[in-house]
Amino acid sequence: PARAAVLGASKSALCARPARGAAARPVHAARKVAAEVRMTAAGGSAAGKGQPAGSPATASTTTVGFFFALWYLFNVVFNIVNKKTLNMWSYPWTLSTVQLGVGALYCSLAWLFGLRVKPNVTWGMIKAMVLPAFGHTLGHVMSCLSFSLVAISFTHIVKSAEPVFGAAMAGLVLKETYPFTVYLTLIPICLGVALSSASELTFTMAGFATAMASNFAFALRNVFSKITMSEYKKDPTMTPANNYGLITIMSFLMELPLCLYFDKGIPSLAATKGAFPEATVLKYLLASSLLYHLYNEVSYSALDNVSPITFSVGNTIKRVIIILTSIIVFRTKILPLNAIGSVTAILGTFLYSSAKAKAVPSK
């Protein structure tokens, strides 16, 4: 029916005689009408699936599957390589800074050689990105510190509590509130993290605290982005990849002096925890840095092509895969209570994301 409507509209516009004194533009009229009919047909198709017109959910299955496959692959491999790097060379401040620096170089070269459209950067945009970049910087380095102190699986369980901080920050800063049922889903998250922490064999207070600090920092980043970046999101050059690229560059510049202070300069690659060749440490350092940028950049693209509910499901599955893979690769011992807590926390995260995506916030 939509195709027939387009053909009919085009034929009518081409055959219509213009009024006296008016410029005859039949081809332009046909194209305009046909475009409107196509938009209507697309909107009807999306609405029939429960999605608004122009929703990310209308992206092709192939495109979505491609982004999700890359996202999972880069993320899982990054977590393994990152932990192995920290096991050899325990300088999380420097490692996290290099990861941001490699990402900044990657984006800069892509813009320089015309591999992607250059963003329209203004002083106003730079000022608007300062706070989100600060939150991103703090969240990234705290995550890296936690990875260096405890098992990957435990850090990810604690990081599943990020929605708790997100809900609190949205209520306190943005004055956004959700139905009571949404906040009920935070209970299994808190319970699961508590059970997992109580039975975690690699538990340290520093590892737990830094993971929690990363949750707080990333919640700050999201809130700051809503406050300061809203007017720049309409810019066609501010694609998800460019947005993340600019934040990465600013975060690198922010963390560099902190890295030099806390690690007392630039650590030597020979300062390892064992007899590891410097070339091996360098390979792992660069690999983890490139993988870190790629998985974050792809996650932005994945979010841009699907609905929030689909992304929350994908994010939950991703976290489960990372936890299971890290347990197998590093032979992490898991007690029954720890396993129950992990499942409870991850399930709570999924329930919260799904409930929040369906709810309408009030102010």
Side-chain angles (χ1 to χ4, degrees):
R3 183 178 180 183
V6 171
L7 292 174
S10 302
K11 184 177 180 181
S12 299
L14 285 168
C15 296
R17 297 182 62 183
R20 183 175 299 176
R25 297 188 181 94
V27 176
H28 175 72
R31 290 175 179 170
K32 182 177 180 181
V33 174
E36 292 175 352
V37 174
R38 288 192 192 98
M39 290 177 64
T40 303
S45 175
K49 296 180 181 180
Q51 297 291 343
S55 169
T58 59
S60 68
T61 304
T62 303
T63 300
V64 173
F66 175 73
F67 280 126
F68 269 68
L70 285 181
W71 181 29
Y72 285 8
L73 175 64
F74 290 150
N75 207 321
V76 171
V77 178
F78 160 73
N79 276 273
I80 302 302
V81 173
N82 192 58
K83 182 62 176 178
K84 287 187 175 182
T85 305
L86 289 168
N87 286 342
M88 290 187 294
W89 192 72
S90 187
Y91 291 94
W93 279 95
T94 300
L95 175 60
S96 58
T97 304
V98 173
Q99 288 169 348
L100 293 172
V102 169
L105 179 62
Y106 175 94
C107 293
S108 299
L109 292 176
W111 293 326
L112 179 64
F113 291 104
L115 300 178
R116 65 173 56 161
V117 62
K118 295 180 181 179
N120 294 325
V121 181
T122 63
W123 280 112
M125 179 183 292
I126 293 175
K127 293 178 182 178
M129 280 191 164
V130 169
L131 291 178
F134 169 75
H136 183 74
T137 304
L138 183 61
H140 175 49
V141 70
M142 288 296 110
S143 296
C144 203
L145 284 167
S146 182
F147 286 138
S148 70
L149 296 168
V150 294
I152 295 177
S153 55
F154 180 63
T155 298
H156 277 282
I157 292 302
V158 178
K159 284 174 69 65
S160 68
E162 186 177 330
V164 178
F165 291 86
M169 293 299 297
L172 294 173
V173 180
L174 301 178
K175 306 301 180 183
E176 288 183 357
T177 58
Y178 290 88
F180 183 66
T181 52
V182 174
Y183 295 110
L184 284 178
T185 60
L186 297 176
I187 296 177
I189 297 177
C190 298
L191 179 62
V193 171
L195 289 175
S196 182
S197 300
S199 56
E200 174 60 39
L201 296 176
T202 66
F203 179 89
T204 66
M205 183 53 68
F208 175 79
T210 48
M212 278 295 184
S214 75
N215 288 337
F216 173 73
F218 285 132
L220 275 181
R221 178 194 63 184
N222 296 337
V223 169
F224 288 151
S225 294
K226 287 186 177 181
I227 295 174
T228 65
M229 292 297 297
S230 57
E231 65 178 288
Y232 298 102
K233 291 182 179 180
K234 298 178 181 178
D235 187 337
T237 66
M238 284 300 291
T239 61
N242 282 349
N243 182 40
Y244 181 71
L246 291 173
I247 287 181
T248 297
I249 292 173
M250 294 188 68
S251 294
F252 169 69
L253 296 175
M254 287 181 180
E255 190 179 351
L256 183 58
L258 297 174
C259 152
L260 296 174
Y261 173 77
F262 284 105
D263 282 343
K264 298 178 175 59
I266 302 176
S268 170
L269 293 176
T272 62
K273 294 182 177 179
F276 297 102
E278 293 184 28
T280 300
V281 178
L282 181 61
K283 289 178 183 177
Y284 272 87
L285 178 63
L286 295 178
S288 69
S289 300
L290 183 59
L291 286 166
Y292 171 76
H293 179 80
L294 289 177
Y295 100 72
N296 275 286
E297 187 172 285
V298 171
S299 72
Y300 271 65
S301 298
L303 178 59
D304 195 49
N305 281 277
V306 297
S307 66
I309 295 179
T310 303
F311 187 80
S312 68
V313 173
N315 196 41
T316 302
I317 296 174
K318 178 213 72 177
R319 197 176 294 278
V320 171
I321 294 174
I322 291 174
I323 291 172
L324 292 178
T325 304
S326 67
I327 290 173
I328 295 172
V329 172
F330 296 103
R331 299 178 181 179
T332 307
K333 292 184 179 180
I334 301 294
L335 298 177
L337 188 62
N338 186 275
I340 294 173
S342 301
V343 173
T344 303
I346 293 173
L347 179 60
T349 302
F350 169 70
L351 293 175
Y352 172 80
S353 300
S354 300
K356 183 183 176 183
K358 296 176 183 178
V360 178
S362 59
K363 293 186 178 182

